[in-house]
Amino acid sequence: MPMEEMGILALLALPLLLLGISGIIYIYQSVRWLLAKSAVQNKVVVITDAISGLGKECSRVFHTGGARLVLCGRTWEKLEALYDALISVADPSMTYAPKLILLDISDINCIQDVAKEILNCYGCVDILINNASMKVKGAVQSISLELDKKIMDANYFGPITLTKAILPNMISRRTGQIVLINSIQGKIGMPFRAAYAASKHAAVGFFDCLRAEMEEFDISVSTVNPTFICSYHRQPAPGNWEASIWKFFFRKVSYGVHPVEVAEEVLRTVSSKKQEVLMANPIPRAAVYIRTFFPELFFAIVASGIREKLKTEEEN
C-alpha cells in the first residue's frame, strides 16, 4: 500500500479512535453513576444543613437515588420549600417523601434531643452526611474569642456531637457510613481564615481517628475536601498584586467547585466507601503536597503573598 494511502487511512482512523475512547469513557461514567445511585436505594440518609446550596444538591441526588432522606436545617420554611422542590420533580413510585427536622448544628445543647428525633424517623441511620459549616474571614487580632468559639461549635463540636449521638445505633447494627464534607483548609491554613481553618483541621483529626476505631464495626468514615464551594461560577476581582504567587494560588482556590459537582462526588464516595477525597485543581492540590513535604517553601510563599497584599493596600 502506498505511503500516501496509509497516511490518509491514519488520519481517518484517528478521529474514529478518539470517538471510540470517548464513548467508552461515557459508558463507564454512566454505569458508575447508576451503580452509585443504586447503592443508596432504600438507605436512611441524614443530611445536615440541607437548606444550603450544597445541602440542596446532596438532597436532590440522594432523593433521586431512592434514599429515605432525613433533612435537617435551621429554618422550617426553607425545609418545606426544599421538600416541595424534591417532591415536584421526583417519581413518587421510585422515591420516598423526605422527613424534616429542625436543627441548628451550632446549638450543642439541643443536638442530643434532635438525634433522638432523627432516629425516631426510621429507627436507624445508614448514612450520616455532616454538611453544616460556618465561615469567617478576618485577621486573627480582629476576630473575637467568642466568634472563634462559635466557629468551632458549628464546624467541629456540632458535627462530632451529632456523630457521637448517632454512632451507638450504627455500632449495634454493625453497619453504617459517616461522611464529613470538610474543606481543603482542613489540610492547609490560609491567611485571614484562622478560626475556620482551625475548626476544619480539628474535624479532620477527629474523623481520621474515628475511621480507625470504627473499622472493627464495619462502619466506614469518609471526608470530602473541596476547595471553595461557590453557588455560581465567577471570576475574582482583578488586583494590582495579581501576578504574585500567593494571588495565583488564591485565585485558583476562589474559582472553587459548584455544589452540583460536590454533591455528585459525595454520592460516589458513599458508593465506593472511599476514605478521603480532595476536590481541587492542580494548583491548590500541589499546595497541599508542598505544605507536607516542603513546609518552609510553603510558608515562604504564603508570607510573600501577605507582604504583597499589604503593600498593594498601602498604595491604594
Side-chain angles (χ1 to χ4, degrees):
M1 182 180 291
M3 293 296 294
E4 290 182 2
E5 291 184 12
M6 290 181 65
I8 293 171
L9 287 174
L11 288 174
L12 291 173
L14 183 59
L16 292 174
L17 179 63
L18 292 175
L19 185 62
I21 293 173
S22 300
I24 291 170
I25 293 173
Y26 175 78
I27 292 170
Y28 169 76
Q29 291 178 338
S30 299
V31 170
R32 189 183 174 201
W33 179 245
L34 288 172
L35 290 174
K37 291 177 73 173
S38 65
V40 300
Q41 191 170 18
N42 299 322
K43 299 289 187 181
V44 178
V45 180
V46 178
I47 302 175
T48 63
D49 197 17
I51 57 178
S52 66
L54 176 54
K56 290 176 182 176
E57 293 301 333
C58 285
S59 301
R60 178 184 60 80
V61 296
F62 280 88
H63 183 64
T64 56
R68 293 182 285 177
L69 290 181
V70 180
L71 305 178
C72 304
R74 291 186 297 175
T75 308
W76 187 255
E77 291 76 14
K78 290 183 179 180
L79 281 172
E80 287 185 321
L82 176 58
Y83 176 95
D84 293 339
L86 293 174
I87 294 298
S88 65
V89 297
D91 182 352
S93 66
M94 302 291 291
T95 57
Y96 296 89
K99 307 285 188 181
L100 307 179
I101 300 285
L102 276 175
L103 170 63
D104 180 356
I105 200 70
S106 64
D107 186 356
I108 308 301
N109 296 326
C110 79
I111 291 179
Q112 291 290 342
D113 291 333
V114 173
K116 292 177 183 177
E117 284 187 61
I118 290 171
L119 289 169
N120 286 337
C121 288
Y122 290 104
C124 68
V125 171
D126 295 307
I127 302 164
L128 170 61
I129 300 176
N130 287 296
N131 168 56
S133 183
M134 180 181 292
K135 296 175 182 160
V136 65
K137 181 181 177 181
V140 169
Q141 65 271 23
S142 68
I143 303 296
S144 68
L145 189 59
E146 184 176 345
L147 184 53
D148 283 334
K149 291 178 179 177
K150 190 173 181 180
I151 294 295
M152 287 299 293
D153 281 344
N155 297 350
Y156 175 70
F157 287 110
I160 74 165
T161 302
L162 181 60
T163 298
K164 286 187 171 188
I166 299 296
L167 209 51
N169 179 271
M170 291 185 174
I171 291 175
S172 67
R173 297 166 57 235
R174 301 189 72 86
T175 184
Q177 289 183 259
I178 299 168
V179 179
L180 171 70
I181 300 177
N182 206 47
S183 168
I184 194 174
Q185 292 188 60
K187 296 289 186 181
I188 54 174
M190 291 196 291
F192 307 110
R193 293 162 178 80
Y196 180 74
S199 67
K200 294 300 182 179
H201 273 73
V204 165
F206 177 88
F207 284 93
D208 280 354
C209 295
L210 181 66
R211 180 183 298 113
E213 293 180 26
M214 290 299 105
E215 188 173 350
E216 65 173 302
F217 301 108
D218 292 326
I219 297 170
S220 66
V221 178
S222 305
T223 54
V224 179
N225 303 290
T227 54
F228 173 77
I229 299 175
C230 54
S231 296
Y232 305 97
H233 293 297
R234 59 186 182 186
Q235 302 291 330
N240 295 332
W241 55 298
E242 189 78 16
S244 76
I245 298 175
W246 175 251
K247 178 62 179 179
F248 180 66
F249 166 66
F250 181 75
R251 186 177 72 244
K252 292 292 184 182
V253 172
S254 296
Y255 285 162
V257 288
H258 196 276
V260 172
E261 299 173 65
V262 182
E264 291 177 351
E265 185 57 49
V266 170
L267 180 61
R268 285 190 290 268
T269 300
V270 167
S271 174
S272 64
K273 296 186 178 181
K274 194 170 183 179
Q275 295 178 340
E276 186 174 64
V277 176
L278 179 62
M279 296 186 69
N281 62 42
I283 299 300
R285 187 180 292 271
V288 173
Y289 291 110
I290 293 171
R291 170 64 179 87
T292 303
F293 298 107
F294 308 101
E296 291 185 2
L297 174 60
F298 177 82
F299 298 143
I301 292 172
V302 173
S304 173
I306 294 299
R307 287 193 296 269
E308 192 72 29
K309 180 178 185 298
L310 293 175
K311 180 181 177 182
T312 301
E313 289 177 349
E314 288 175 1
E315 291 175 352
N316 292 337

